[in-house]
Amino acid sequence: MVNDLTFYLRQAALNHDIEHLVTGFGPNHGGEIALLNGNMYSRVRYFHPELSSFFSRIAFYLKAKTILKDGLYYPEALVVNLD
């Protein structure tokens, strides 16, 4: 590992499937959105706002992209996303 940040980012990627098992959110559209929301919430709760925002950059992008894509092409999935 180059530094602590690199380690954290790699571990976050490796733990993704384990998060599905622990939370009970399935590996489906709704489960992915729920994990995004849960991870963003936990970062906001435990980190300084600027650090939280830095760690959530990819989640912000994925959430915005998913809402746009669902709204344009998958209206049934948008209901799940917003629920």
Side-chain angles (χ1 to χ4, degrees):
M1 292 294 133
V2 177
N3 55 37
D4 290 342
L5 176 61
T6 304
F7 176 77
Y8 176 83
L9 294 175
R10 286 185 184 172
Q11 278 305 120
L14 292 173
N15 290 338
H16 179 79
D17 292 338
I18 295 170
E19 289 176 351
H20 280 291
L21 293 171
V22 171
T23 61
F25 297 129
N28 53 31
H29 188 73
E32 296 298 336
I33 297 301
L35 282 183
L36 283 174
N37 288 337
N39 283 325
M40 285 190 294
Y41 177 78
S42 66
R43 290 177 187 136
V44 164
R45 188 169 166 118
Y46 295 108
F47 293 129
H48 188 274
E50 290 178 14
L51 184 58
S52 168
S53 180
F54 174 78
F55 282 138
S56 295
R57 290 176 306 167
I58 294 171
F60 294 148
Y61 165 75
L62 291 173
K63 179 97 170 148
K65 172 196 71 90
T66 303
I67 289 173
L68 179 63
K69 190 174 174 183
D70 289 352
L72 292 174
Y73 304 111
Y74 307 106
E76 300 86 13
L78 181 62
V79 173
V80 173
N81 188 335
L82 297 176
D83 197 21

